[in-house]
Amino acid sequence: MSESEIGPNRVTATGARGAAATLSPATNHRTPGVADAPGGVRRPGLILATLLVGYFMALLDGSIVNVALPSIREKLHANGASLQMVAAGYIIAYAVLLVTGARLGRILGHERLFKAGLAGFTIASLACGLAQNSGELIIFRVIQGIAAAVMLPQVLSLIQQTFQGEARAKAMSAWTAVLASGIVVGQVLGGVLVTANLFGWSWRPVFLVNVPIGIVLWIASIRALPSVKPQNSAANNKVDLAGVLTLSPTILALVVPLVLGHDEHWPIWGWVLLAATVPLLVLFLAVERRVARRGDSPILPGRILEMSGMKPSLVLIFLVMVVYAGNLFATAIHLQGALGFSALKTGLAFAPCALAFGLVSYFWRNIPAHLIRRFSVIGLVIGAASMAAQIWMFKDGGYGGVWFYLNQMVFGLGVGIGNAPTMTLALMRVPVTEAADASGTLATNAQLAQVVGIASLGTLYLTVAAGHAVHAAGQAMAYLSGAGVVVTLVAVGFAYYLYNLDKHERAAKAAAAL
């Protein structure tokens, strides 16, 4: 990757850090409309902390509930399908509306949407913590997801438009670390809160903890966030309502049967919905092409997808996040339900993975630029090997003891090396003016992958674990781990393709320079 150009950004041989920090004049400027104090960004530390803590809080809620599921089952008498909907309902709403949230930020102003989403998220968290039955909890989780979809796309856009040069590179690395580690840290924090049983509230502090944090962040956002004028234009001043109305049923047709199928004994309507996913997807793509031909901006922007390396990057990220989210969901249930771990012990079991994933995601820029893609391939091979090791650990009803914790660290290390650079390098190809749509597309892709991972791998685990064989739950984890190996190896193929794509681009640019 040395001596090459990625989109508008010039990448030098100084390494990945230089790639993110050294920008061409086309992007190394202050976006019009950003309010700054003379001499630069006002309170940059407070701005970044406000954005990233809000982002982290919303990401945590995608997984913090996993460790609390057994307590929710006991206190609210919830069945398996309800538990999956408590976990997946938030992510479904979040995933479906993320790109729309990004578009609304362009229309109404990113800082306005961040504050509105933060307020909604805080109120919905309070409602979740006070829910009296599983139905109420699922509804409030969906509302929470909608608020997160309004808030989160604004974070990267505000970072892109507020920071410059090395400050922007550091801010984006911090954002990537938060994105990568938020899911696992949620499991750890969930275990701590459930075990603490604050005020005798059992699982409720998992949601109520967001309330004081949200209030503090909302006050900080009023004081710190720069005012960004809406980026209205003829093509971008509309929400793609047709796209939302066709994408939403497509996702629901895929996810709902996977989530409810096990508890409903795989009824005919579930198979009908799964079969309908294909024509619904075709309809969605046709609608998007029509929106683009009219000169409007579709929810799935073709100009973003056509950027070099974007499509394989999206597929790679999707596959990795399917394995990541599905494995965490099933492992949390298995450790508590089958092996009798406490919520605290279950949460702390994921700490090595969280630490490795977070550190790799922040410090990967120190890898020499020409080795980044090669490291991505190696990292995913390590991740596949780690999933394979889980088969041995779980199949006979145990969990591997100390080897399990070491394997969690190896898994976090491998998947972090494979995934974090892919996300950031994909965004580096995108001009600042396209940051909102690009970040929305990438984040939507990652969140949809989590939904599919929880629904598909979670269903696989629950189905096999319900059998009557000796160590059925252990065998379920072995089957899940085997599926994870296969999916991760497919991701290795896409990482290898991206590695060769970069080599070919470097060669083509070198030849053009002669």
Side-chain angles (χ1 to χ4, degrees):
M1 195 179 300
S2 58
E3 309 254 324
S4 69
E5 293 181 2
I6 299 181
N9 298 352
R10 182 72 182 175
V11 181
T12 68
T14 58
R17 185 177 301 274
T22 310
L23 306 177
S24 70
T27 58
N28 191 18
H29 69 282
R30 179 71 58 225
T31 301
V34 177
D36 293 324
V41 180
R42 298 177 299 178
R43 301 175 180 171
L46 182 57
I47 292 174
L48 187 60
T50 300
L51 294 174
L52 293 186
V53 172
Y55 197 83
F56 194 62
M57 182 173 67
L59 287 179
L60 287 178
D61 266 62
S63 61
I64 195 172
V65 71
N66 287 355
V67 177
L69 291 177
S71 296
I72 294 173
R73 184 202 299 265
E74 176 188 353
K75 300 296 183 182
L76 299 184
H77 309 291
N79 59 23
S82 295
L83 292 179
Q84 283 187 286
M85 285 303 297
V86 168
Y90 172 83
I91 305 175
I92 291 171
Y94 174 26
V96 169
L97 297 174
L98 262 173
V99 174
T100 300
R103 182 67 50 76
L104 288 173
R106 297 185 66 150
I107 297 170
L108 301 175
H110 297 300
E111 87 289 347
R112 289 182 187 172
L113 267 291
F114 179 87
K115 287 183 280 193
L118 177 60
F121 184 87
T122 304
I123 294 170
S125 296
L126 176 63
C128 286
L130 299 178
Q132 298 302 302
N133 55 62
S134 59
E136 288 183 6
L137 182 56
I138 291 169
I139 291 171
F140 295 140
R141 284 283 283 171
V142 171
I143 295 172
Q144 225 189 1
I146 294 171
V150 172
M151 175 175 65
L152 264 62
Q154 320 313 326
V155 172
L156 184 61
S157 297
L158 286 167
I159 288 175
Q160 294 268 63
Q161 296 174 350
T162 304
F163 296 91
Q164 299 184 69
E166 180 65 14
R168 181 178 169 210
K170 290 180 178 179
M172 287 188 64
S173 288
W175 172 82
T176 305
V178 167
L179 176 66
S181 61
I183 302 172
V184 192
V185 173
Q187 310 253 105
V188 178
L189 183 59
V192 172
L193 289 174
V194 172
T195 302
N197 193 22
L198 299 173
F199 310 109
W201 290 347
S202 182
W203 54 270
R204 297 182 187 277
V206 164
F207 300 108
L208 295 176
V209 69
N210 293 330
V211 177
I213 297 174
I215 292 172
V216 171
L217 285 179
W218 194 79
I219 294 171
S221 69
I222 293 175
R223 295 176 58 87
L225 292 188
S227 177
V228 183
K229 293 180 181 178
Q231 301 175 17
N232 292 326
S233 68
N236 293 314
N237 61 0
K238 299 178 184 177
V239 172
D240 178 15
L241 186 60
V244 173
L245 293 177
T246 50
L247 177 61
S248 300
T250 303
I251 295 171
L252 291 174
L254 173 65
V255 173
V256 169
L258 291 175
V259 171
L260 300 180
H262 170 71
D263 275 11
E264 297 294 328
H265 306 292
W266 297 104
I268 295 296
W269 63 260
W271 295 107
V272 171
L273 281 178
L274 284 174
T277 301
V278 174
L280 284 172
L281 178 61
V282 172
L283 175 63
F284 167 68
L285 294 175
V287 167
E288 292 298 89
R289 284 194 293 269
R290 183 177 179 183
V291 170
R293 283 198 300 269
R294 288 203 311 258
D296 294 329
S297 189
I299 195 173
L300 189 65
R303 64 189 182 280
I304 301 295
L305 297 180
E306 294 305 320
M307 292 179 180
S308 176
M310 182 62 75
K311 289 178 182 176
S313 295
L314 287 170
V315 174
L316 189 157
I317 292 166
F318 186 89
L319 294 173
V320 170
M321 295 307 293
V322 163
V323 175
Y324 191 56
N327 182 56
L328 289 176
F329 174 81
T331 304
I333 293 178
H334 181 73
L335 292 179
Q336 291 186 80
L339 300 181
F341 279 35
S342 68
L344 177 60
K345 188 176 180 181
T346 300
L348 293 178
F350 298 105
C353 182
L355 179 63
F357 209 153
L359 289 176
V360 167
S361 299
Y362 187 77
F363 291 108
W364 70 267
R365 291 186 303 125
N366 294 315
I367 299 172
H370 64 286
L371 295 178
I372 289 173
R373 291 295 191 193
R374 187 176 299 173
F375 268 66
S376 292
V377 175
I378 295 171
L380 291 177
V381 170
I382 293 172
S386 174
M387 290 298 296
Q390 282 193 174
I391 299 175
W392 165 73
M393 293 175 188
F394 287 115
K395 65 182 179 65
D396 294 326
Y399 72 100
V402 68
W403 293 107
F404 169 78
Y405 299 100
L406 291 173
N407 195 58
Q408 283 288 303
M409 181 174 291
V410 172
F411 180 72
L413 177 70
V415 177
I417 293 173
N419 189 61
T422 302
M423 178 77 78
T424 303
L425 290 175
L427 286 170
M428 282 168 50
R429 299 174 184 265
V430 178
V432 172
T433 54
E434 305 290 352
D437 283 347
S439 61
T441 300
L442 283 163
T444 297
N445 176 66
Q447 298 309 315
L448 282 175
Q450 289 184 54
V451 174
V452 172
I454 290 172
S456 58
L457 296 184
T459 296
L460 173 63
Y461 171 80
L462 291 172
T463 300
V464 178
H468 299 291
V470 177
H471 305 313
Q475 291 179 16
M477 282 301 299
Y479 276 107
L480 179 146
S481 300
V485 171
V486 173
V487 176
T488 306
L489 287 177
V490 175
V492 170
F494 281 92
Y496 185 73
Y497 172 82
L498 284 167
Y499 168 65
N500 284 297
L501 177 65
D502 282 342
K503 287 201 304 184
H504 293 155
E505 288 183 349
R506 289 198 302 271
K509 289 182 173 68
L514 295 177

